Amino acid sequence: MPHFPMDSPDSVRSLPARRSVLGAMAATAASPALLGLSSPASAASAASAAPVAQPRALPGGGDLGPNVIVFDPSTSGIQAKLDEVFRQQESAQFGTGRYALLFKPGTYNGLNAQLGFYTSIAGLGLSPDDTAINGDVTVDAGWFNGNATQNFWRSAENLALTPVSGTNRWAVAQAAPFRRMHVRGGLNLAPTGYGWASGGYIADSRIDGSVGPYSQQQWYTRDSSVGGWANAVWNMVFSGVQGAPAQSFPNPPYTTLDTTPVSREKPFLYLNGSEYRVFLPERRTNARGTTWGSGTARGTSLPLTQFYVARPGVTAATLNAALTQGLHLLLTPGIYHLDQPIQVDRAGTVVLGLGYATLIPDNGVTALRTADVDGVRLAGFLIDAGPVNSSTLLEVGPTGASASHSANPTTVQDVFIRIGGAGAGKATTSMVINSRHTIIDHTWVWRADHGTGVGWETNRADYGIRVNGDDVLATGLFVEHFNKYDVQWYGQRGRTVFFQNEKAYDAPNQAAIQNGNVKGYAAYKVADSVTTHEGWGLGSYCYYNVDPTIVQHNGFAAPNTPGVKFHDLLVVSLGGQGQYEHVVNETGAPTSGTSTVPSTVVSYP
């Protein structure tokens, strides 16, 4: 994503910078060899009269593996271990290392946990305040000359921080959630030197001091509390945030909803004494503020013994056997190759990844599918498309799903999808949502614009997300660079709070993106059959650097009907590399020139 260095918190330079290919930086040391598990086998005796043996029951619980590193306050050499992991992961953008750094409840002094790629840090208490670090959890951009636009795939969760300087630095781009955190001070979202920055997402967190976005051009904060918010560049969106700035889009560009319509926080691992459990937060409606600020956390929990603790090397057949047996899935850090889809058929099933556990579908299969059942929770993993085209990568509910899940929806949280970058990958449609009432809470669905295996046809991916189900809510939707539509919405009564998009950089010419008589495919397309839909704080950017003469008709396309409403839309031509004719349908001024000034629409229709 191109972004712009800040001369000051309130000004932006005009020259764009494109995410560059990092071939030499992509290499990384492989993570330690991990245990491979094979699927249970049923065997029949050669003698026809012998009984058929039953499949061996898979165990629940067990060791979390070598790439889950657990600390307690008495552990020696914590800083050295944090530094070792960071050295390996700092510039390993497309490497194979995956790590979860977990801290048992207690107090830790003098730490600076710098986070590189595919590294998650989390506390193991029921409340963030159970695990206190007198120190910092830092993301900066020294590895990329002060440019934070590629600080992807890392996370912080369930910790209380007292920063050494009074302010913690969290200079991230996409797929880098900051959840259930308590910062006893301020939070700086820009890299050292206020270089380019592209983020970002905060949920269920309390920042006692002020948040300084500085060079961050867009950000979404949900169900949190902040002591202040310093500035905005293009698109800052808040829902259910105590202390958020007042609604003022486009000047300054704050979109503020008093509450979040429906939310349910991400499941998380914690310790009850010496026993690992997974906490399942309860669903909230019209939420405001954190879930943990007063009293006991609200929700239910499951012992780890009810989870199949998967290690890289396990087969899809074994994962499915565990699900059939009634177990949930905990995916420990690493890379999992799948020769068949993971099939989630049981209501209430949890599939939770640690340390950016990565699913790669082989031979064109879909990575994961769910049945049309209540309360499935998918969280914390990355799906990486394989070299053989998959028609889909993730399917929530089967085609034609129609059951109501209003009381207990499926949630898709911190589930990220990538096509290309780490190698050639292809997928026709990345994510398909068929089940009603699904909540997509923070995703980045990315057709890679840099890395290896990248090209208009090399990592072909026509569609990012397709929503067929009714009553679906998206909170924090990042979808970028698809060959055709980035988002297609066919379901009724859909809602999106915050959307960030870039059209594909690498379109070779106008003809390659032509959509019948329309110049280009909209980033966000609501089907003509939809009568009710609403969106808040949506942005689309173009950077057609291969052919800067390309014209994109609009960023948003929808039926012109009173029930389809948009609030606070913008389109931006980055440095004049391509232009938009309108913002939504035929409404909104065209972009022009090289000044990188957004064209905005406050309300539509």
Side-chain angles (χ1 to χ4, degrees):
M1 152 124 9
H3 287 262
F4 302 84
M6 304 297 294
D7 291 315
S8 71
D10 299 309
S11 65
V12 183
R13 294 178 188 167
S14 60
L15 294 178
R18 183 186 186 279
R19 289 178 186 149
S20 60
V21 177
L22 300 181
M25 295 183 179
T28 182
S31 42
L34 301 179
L35 177 65
L37 302 177
S38 60
S39 60
S42 295
S45 169
S48 60
V52 176
Q54 296 301 310
R56 175 176 58 87
L58 292 164
D63 185 81
L64 298 177
N67 284 17
V68 175
I69 303 169
V70 181
F71 304 103
D72 67 47
S74 66
T75 302
S76 62
I78 296 177
Q79 187 64 56
K81 187 62 178 179
L82 297 174
D83 292 345
E84 177 189 343
V85 173
F86 178 64
R87 281 193 299 272
Q88 177 177 314
Q89 299 302 113
E90 180 182 11
S91 60
Q93 181 169 178
F94 299 111
T96 57
R98 304 285 187 273
Y99 290 93
L101 309 173
L102 305 183
F103 286 75
K104 293 182 180 181
T107 299
Y108 301 78
N109 294 311
L111 297 181
N112 180 18
Q114 300 182 81
L115 299 188
F117 288 98
Y118 314 108
T119 306
S120 298
I121 189 170
L124 287 170
L126 261 182
S127 166
D129 289 333
D130 292 340
T131 310
I133 293 179
N134 293 317
D136 296 78
V137 171
T138 302
V139 178
D140 207 343
W143 74 279
F144 200 38
N145 300 315
N147 179 346
T149 62
Q150 295 181 19
N151 282 347
F152 313 136
W153 304 305
R154 63 202 75 196
S155 67
E157 186 172 354
N158 206 29
L159 294 165
L161 306 177
T162 303
V164 170
S165 70
T167 300
N168 190 76
R169 186 181 301 278
W170 186 256
V172 297
Q174 288 79 1
F178 197 79
R179 287 186 182 268
R180 201 177 176 81
M181 295 287 287
H182 184 189
V183 181
R184 296 167 176 162
L187 188 64
N188 183 342
L189 304 180
T192 300
Y194 304 105
W196 302 309
S198 167
Y201 176 91
I202 294 171
D204 199 25
S205 294
R206 175 180 169 184
I207 291 85
D208 293 344
S210 185
V211 179
Y214 304 113
S215 51
Q216 287 284 357
Q217 70 184 39
Q218 81 279 315
W219 197 277
Y220 175 50
T221 306
R222 177 182 65 71
D223 298 358
S224 294
S225 173
V226 298
W229 196 272
N231 71 291
V233 177
W234 288 341
N235 192 31
M236 297 288 166
V237 179
F238 307 84
S239 67
V241 178
Q242 297 165 340
Q247 168 71 33
S248 58
F249 187 92
N251 187 27
Y254 294 130
T255 298
T256 303
L257 286 71
D258 189 58
T259 62
T260 303
V262 186
S263 56
R264 188 176 70 192
E265 298 306 326
K266 174 180 171 285
F268 61 92
L269 191 67
Y270 75 103
L271 277 172
N272 180 26
S274 60
E275 176 197 21
Y276 282 106
R277 297 182 70 91
V278 173
F279 194 79
L280 308 177
E282 70 177 14
R283 171 182 167 272
R284 299 200 292 171
T285 57
N286 299 316
R288 180 172 172 82
T290 68
T291 63
W292 50 268
S294 57
T296 305
R298 294 183 296 275
T300 58
S301 72
L302 298 169
L304 193 63
T305 54
Q306 293 185 21
F307 285 77
Y308 178 71
V309 179
R311 304 275 195 95
V314 68
T315 66
T318 297
L319 297 174
N320 284 327
L323 291 167
T324 300
Q325 190 178 305
L327 294 171
H328 306 272
L329 296 182
L330 185 74
L331 305 173
T332 64
I335 295 173
Y336 297 74
H337 282 270
L338 307 173
D339 61 359
Q340 66 187 61
I342 297 171
Q343 183 66 46
V344 178
D345 290 328
R346 190 179 72 258
T349 299
V350 179
V351 180
L352 176 61
L354 301 179
Y356 287 82
T358 301
L359 308 178
I360 301 179
D362 294 329
N363 301 318
V365 303
T366 297
L368 190 149
R369 291 190 175 112
T370 77
D372 191 25
V373 295
D374 274 357
V376 173
R377 303 184 194 227
L378 309 177
F381 55 88
L382 170 65
I383 298 175
D384 212 350
V388 177
N389 185 73
S390 293
S391 60
T392 60
L393 294 171
L394 174 66
E395 296 179 19
V396 177
T399 301
S402 60
S404 174
H405 306 291
S406 59
N408 192 7
T410 286
T411 44
V412 181
Q413 300 177 284
D414 300 348
V415 173
F416 307 117
I417 294 178
R418 177 173 68 193
I419 303 95
K426 292 185 178 182
T428 304
T429 306
S430 289
M431 183 185 297
V432 179
I433 307 295
N434 292 316
S435 286
R436 293 180 61 193
H437 301 102
T438 298
I439 300 172
I440 309 168
D441 176 44
H442 190 226
T443 188
W444 183 39
V445 183
W446 184 54
R447 176 181 168 266
D449 60 276
H450 63 269
T452 59
V454 171
W456 185 249
E457 297 294 343
T458 304
N459 62 330
R460 183 83 193 187
D462 283 352
Y463 308 109
I465 294 179
R466 177 174 175 137
V467 178
N468 296 318
D470 294 339
D471 307 293
V472 171
L473 171 66
T475 51
L477 196 60
F478 299 74
V479 189
E480 296 190 295
H481 303 153
F482 286 83
N483 294 77
K484 292 184 179 179
Y485 290 119
D486 298 276
V487 173
Q488 299 172 285
W489 209 296
Y490 290 86
Q492 297 288 352
R493 298 175 299 280
R495 292 173 291 183
T496 295
V497 183
F498 183 88
F499 171 69
Q500 183 265 320
N501 166 263
E502 282 183 340
K503 296 304 299 174
Y505 295 161
D506 56 346
N509 50 50
Q510 187 76 46
I513 64 161
Q514 196 70 12
N515 181 15
N517 295 324
V518 179
K519 299 172 185 175
Y521 291 81
Y524 190 105
K525 165 68 173 174
V526 180
D528 293 343
S529 58
V530 172
T531 58
T532 306
H533 187 91
E534 196 159 9
W536 297 263
L538 283 65
S540 177
Y541 321 145
C542 74
Y543 188 71
Y544 288 118
N545 65 315
V546 174
D547 182 357
T549 68
I550 289 176
V551 174
Q552 177 81 28
H553 183 64
N554 51 33
F556 305 91
N560 187 7
T561 183
V564 177
K565 304 174 183 179
F566 292 104
H567 314 273
D568 302 355
L569 302 176
L570 69 141
V571 296
V572 182
S573 167
L574 302 174
Q577 305 293 296
Q579 302 289 349
Y580 291 89
E581 291 181 326
H582 300 286
V583 180
V584 53
N585 292 348
E586 309 302 315
T587 299
T591 59
S592 63
T594 60
S595 57
T596 314
V597 174
S599 178
T600 62
V601 169
V602 173
S603 181
Y604 182 89

